[in-house]
């Protein structure tokens, strides 16, 4: 039986410090090794938003060691699906790559109470993506 290639996904936001980090963390946590996950920013921050780290810790996901990464053409070209979250026109577009744009509130400068609903919305988007891409809705619990 031939091995089925894992879908490769790239989450992109401006600073790679909030939304894209949460989405990548949820996808990795819920889908495990059934997908390849990357995240990047068009203008990456120095660190991941501490309130985002805390919000994910509340649901059992540790991203405290993550570091924002710069968006590269190679990362986009290596991805089957690119999910943008407010990076606008800065994300390069290539034929053969599927693009989704998730309209999400930017958690920058927000406290944890404001970030929780963003976190929960991202989790729902990611669960839908998993169901669509790998057809398995029996994903692990996020917390």
């Amino acid at each position: 039986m031939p091995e089925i290639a894992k879908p490769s996904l790239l989450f992109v936001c401006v600073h790679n410090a909030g939304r894209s980090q949460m989405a990548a963390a949820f996808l990795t946590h819920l889908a495990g090794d059934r997908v390849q996950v990357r995240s990047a920013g068009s203008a990456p921050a120095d660190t991941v938003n501490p309130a985002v780290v805390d919000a994910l810790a509340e649901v059992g996901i540790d991203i405290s060691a993550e570091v924002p990464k710069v968006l590269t053409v190679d990362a986009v070209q290596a991805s089957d699906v690119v999910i943008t979250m407010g990076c606008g026109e800065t994300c390069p577009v290539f034929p053969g790559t599927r693009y989704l744009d998730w309209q999400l509130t930017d958690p920058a400068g927000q406290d944890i109470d404001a970030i929780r609903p963003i976190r929960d919305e991202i989790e729902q988007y990611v669960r839908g993506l998993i169901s669509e891409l790998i057809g398995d809705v029996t994903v692990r619990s996020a917390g």
Side-chain angles (χ1 to χ4, degrees):
M1 189 162 149
E3 185 177 322
I4 298 170
K6 292 183 207 182
S8 175
L9 292 93
L10 171 64
F11 294 100
V12 182
C13 67
V14 176
H15 300 297
N16 190 223
R19 294 166 290 188
S20 56
Q21 289 283 351
M22 285 192 279
F26 269 119
L27 186 56
T28 299
H29 182 78
L30 297 170
D33 63 0
R34 295 177 289 176
V35 294
Q36 184 178 38
V37 183
R38 297 179 185 86
S39 72
S42 53
D46 293 330
T47 61
V48 174
N49 181 331
V52 166
V53 173
D54 292 344
L56 282 176
E58 289 181 344
V59 295
I61 300 173
D62 179 9
I63 64 164
S64 59
E66 292 298 324
V67 177
K69 294 167 270 324
V70 69
L71 177 64
T72 65
V73 170
D74 289 344
V76 174
Q77 287 179 317
S79 301
D80 299 312
V81 182
V82 176
I83 299 101
T84 58
M85 304 170 188
C87 72
E89 302 300 315
T90 61
C91 190
V93 176
F94 295 99
T97 300
R98 179 177 170 201
Y99 293 86
L100 301 173
D101 185 53
W102 292 354
Q103 298 293 317
L104 297 160
T105 303
D106 188 348
Q110 308 260 17
D111 65 17
I112 194 164
D113 290 331
I115 291 174
R116 286 183 186 112
I118 302 167
R119 173 199 68 200
D120 296 345
E121 186 177 7
I122 289 171
E123 180 183 2
Q124 292 310 308
Y125 274 125
V126 168
R127 286 180 179 277
L129 198 59
I130 291 169
S131 177
E132 177 189 332
L133 291 176
I134 57 180
D136 183 356
V137 292
T138 57
V139 295
R140 294 184 262 177
S141 171

